């Protein structure tokens, strides 16, 4: 199959109505989207990603009104949060209605929903009479794409079309929340920080770790979000052992002792938002430089730094002996 990158949302809409799955831009990462009410489109999503079908998909809508028929209820305290964070990178687990196919939720009673904040995608969603199921548009286990080019590199030949909506503004996946005993809990750290949620809620939401063998969300999967090149956390003493075949990703510091082709600085001004928007692109870029290993500096453990460290913990775990 030929894969083309285009900028016309009419092409995107045409493919989606035909039951095809395509790459779409969001404010977080690029998604692999299909008609959430069409079982054959859902199957195409799982197979293009090579993702186990035990791992459920997020539904994307243009408005709360569109969501209502797909959920049993929308608790008031969650609805209130959406006024602050939607459209935006907040995903909410709600009890599903019969309109949601079991293939979407991996037979669970809850469905994940969000209203994304991307002008092209919102326009598409408002013109469709079905929601879009969209996981991140990467092969299962790899780094999420933040540009149309990344999607092309990974999924060329597996999907017909990628809508180019520019570089993703946030660059990290949405934060996934739900309710437990009337309190908001976080299932996956994401582009909305714990601190931002705390400001709205008046308490720090508990992060639910993977306690059972079966992860409730794949954000809880241990090996995930990893580049192909072995990735490790940077420690100062390693620099002396560095060779031409070693890549480095630093948060802010210039590290003059290392040549430019061996390093990427995420944010010279020390902005965690900027670092977040560049993190995945930097990992993907480093992968193309064919190093033997990549060392990445741990980020400050606050705000989006927590989300980035969470992803990097999982990514480096894959290469730990
Ligand atoms: O920012 C995002 O959330 C991006 C963009 C494309 O919207 N999507 C994304 O999807 O990151 P994905 O599939 O790569 O990650 C979604 C996570 C998975 O860990 C999945 O297991 C979890 O959400 N999830 C989805 N539906 C769920 C459900 N019904 N119950 C529990 N976890 C669910
Ligand atoms: Mg993903």
């Amino acid at each position: 199959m030929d894969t083309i990158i285009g900028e016309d949302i009419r092409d995107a809409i045409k493919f989606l109505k035909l039951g095809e799955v395509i790459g779409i831009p969001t404010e977080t990462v690029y998604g692999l989207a299909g008609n959430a009410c069409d079982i054959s489109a859902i199957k195409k999503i799982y197979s293009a990603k090579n993702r186990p079908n035990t791992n459920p998909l997020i539904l994307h809508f243009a408005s709360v009104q569109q969501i209502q028929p797909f959920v049993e209820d929308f608790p008031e305290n969650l609805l209130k949060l959406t006024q602050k964070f939607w459209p935006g990178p907040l995903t909410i687990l709600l009890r599903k209605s019969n309109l949601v196919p079991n293939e979407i939720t991996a037979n669970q009673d809850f469905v994940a929903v969000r209203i994304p904040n991307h002008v092209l995608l919102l326009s598409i969603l408002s013109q469709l009479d079905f929601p879009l199921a969209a996981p991140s548009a990467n092969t299962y286990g790899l780094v999420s794409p933040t540009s149309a080019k990344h999607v092309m590199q990974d999924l060329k030949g597996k999907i017909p079309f990628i809508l180019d909506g520019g570089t993703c503004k946030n660059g990290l996946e949405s934060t996934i929340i739900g309710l437990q005993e009337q309190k908001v809990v976080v299932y996956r750290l994401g582009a909305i920080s714990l601190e931002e949620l705390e400001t709205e809620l008046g308490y720090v939401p508990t992060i639910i770790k993977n306690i059972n063998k079966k992860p409730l969300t794949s954000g809880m999967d241990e090996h995930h979000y990893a580049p192909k090149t072995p990735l490790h956390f940077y420690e100062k003493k390693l620099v002396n052992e560095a060779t031409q075949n070693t890549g480095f990703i630093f948060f802010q510091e210039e590290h003059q002792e290392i040549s430019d082709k061996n390093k990427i600085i995420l944010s010279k001004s020390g902005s965690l938002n900027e670092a977040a928007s560049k993190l995945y692109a930097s990992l993907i870029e480093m992968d193309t430089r064919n190093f033997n290993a990549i060392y990445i500096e741990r980020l400050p453990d606050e705000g989006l730094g927590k989300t980035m460290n969470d992803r990097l913990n999982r990514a480096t775990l894959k290469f730990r002996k």
Side-chain angles (χ1 to χ4, degrees):
M1 178 190 304
D2 278 342
T3 306
I4 54 168
I5 295 185
E7 291 177 1
D8 193 332
I9 65 166
R10 284 170 301 188
D11 291 327
I13 290 170
K14 183 191 77 189
F15 281 115
L16 291 166
K17 285 186 172 167
L18 285 171
E20 290 300 332
V21 307
I22 62 169
I24 49 145
T26 86
E27 80 282 32
T28 58
V29 300
Y30 270 71
L32 185 61
N35 178 349
C37 300
D38 175 350
I39 309 293
S40 116
I42 299 168
K43 288 190 173 143
K44 285 181 194 169
I45 293 176
Y46 281 103
S47 88
K49 265 187 80 82
N50 200 13
R51 173 168 170 154
N53 62 9
T54 47
N55 202 329
L57 305 176
I58 297 177
L59 298 193
H60 298 69
F61 296 85
S63 68
V64 171
Q65 226 174 347
Q66 281 188 343
I67 297 175
Q68 295 289 4
F70 290 85
V71 299
E72 281 296 304
D73 65 336
F74 207 143
E76 202 52 45
N77 37 1
L78 291 174
L79 206 49
K80 196 162 155 262
L81 278 183
T82 69
Q83 286 165 11
K84 164 82 184 171
F85 293 111
W86 277 357
L90 185 72
T91 294
I92 304 184
L93 292 187
L94 296 171
R95 199 169 282 282
K96 81 179 199 68
S97 79
N98 289 336
L99 284 183
V100 179
N102 289 325
E103 285 79 358
I104 289 287
T105 62
N107 293 314
Q108 298 180 69
D109 297 339
F110 286 79
V111 62
V113 300
R114 85 176 188 101
I115 300 180
N117 189 13
H118 189 288
V119 58
L120 296 186
L121 181 54
L122 283 172
S123 174
I124 291 170
L125 288 166
S126 65
Q127 292 176 57
L128 296 174
D129 56 8
F130 49 82
L132 289 177
S136 51
N138 54 284
T139 303
Y140 184 67
L142 296 184
V143 179
S144 300
T146 56
S147 72
K149 195 175 130 217
H150 293 159
V151 182
M152 185 64 121
Q153 281 166 11
D154 189 357
L155 298 179
K156 187 172 193 258
K158 294 187 172 161
I159 53 176
F161 185 73
I162 301 162
L163 180 67
D164 190 348
T167 303
C168 301
K169 193 171 117 304
N170 292 95
L172 295 172
E173 298 85 351
S174 60
T175 301
I176 305 182
I177 64 164
L179 268 194
Q180 284 191 9
E181 289 158 10
Q182 292 312 306
K183 290 266 178 166
V184 170
V185 296
V186 170
Y187 292 104
R188 176 177 74 178
L189 290 169
I192 290 172
S193 68
L194 279 183
E195 289 87 338
E196 282 174 276
L197 286 172
E198 181 189 357
T199 303
E200 288 309 301
L201 295 168
Y203 58 91
V204 184
T206 306
I207 304 171
I208 306 290
K209 291 261 162 63
N210 179 15
I211 19 176
N212 306 315
K213 261 276 156 269
K214 184 175 160 233
L216 184 58
T217 86
S218 86
M220 299 174 169
D221 248 358
E222 281 187 332
H223 302 275
H224 228 72
Y225 309 102
K228 290 170 186 152
T229 313
L231 178 76
H232 306 282
F233 278 114
Y234 164 80
E235 287 164 47
K236 222 174 191 111
K237 65 175 183 345
L238 290 171
V239 176
N240 300 323
E241 299 162 20
T243 67
Q244 295 210 334
N245 282 324
T246 316
F248 293 92
I249 302 174
F250 296 113
F251 173 39
Q252 178 176 17
E253 247 184 277
E254 293 269 7
H255 288 270
Q256 306 286 5
E257 73 281 11
I258 298 170
S259 82
D260 281 347
K261 66 178 196 329
N262 290 66
K263 73 182 174 197
I264 293 176
I265 315 292
L266 292 174
S267 171
K268 287 183 181 161
S269 67
S271 151
L272 286 170
N273 286 340
E274 184 187 10
S277 73
K278 291 186 178 163
L279 178 69
Y280 290 161
S282 302
L283 290 169
I284 293 169
E285 163 62 25
M286 276 294 178
D287 246 350
T288 68
R289 296 191 195 175
N290 292 319
F291 292 124
N292 292 337
I294 308 166
Y295 291 92
I296 185 160
E297 185 175 18
R298 221 180 271 276
L299 288 124
D301 198 35
E302 61 189 31
L304 295 183
K306 280 204 180 82
T307 303
M308 290 188 270
N309 288 336
D310 165 77
R311 300 299 191 269
L312 294 172
N313 281 333
R314 296 170 208 276
T316 53
L317 193 64
K318 181 171 168 188
F319 304 105
R320 250 174 261 167
K321 288 176 210 104

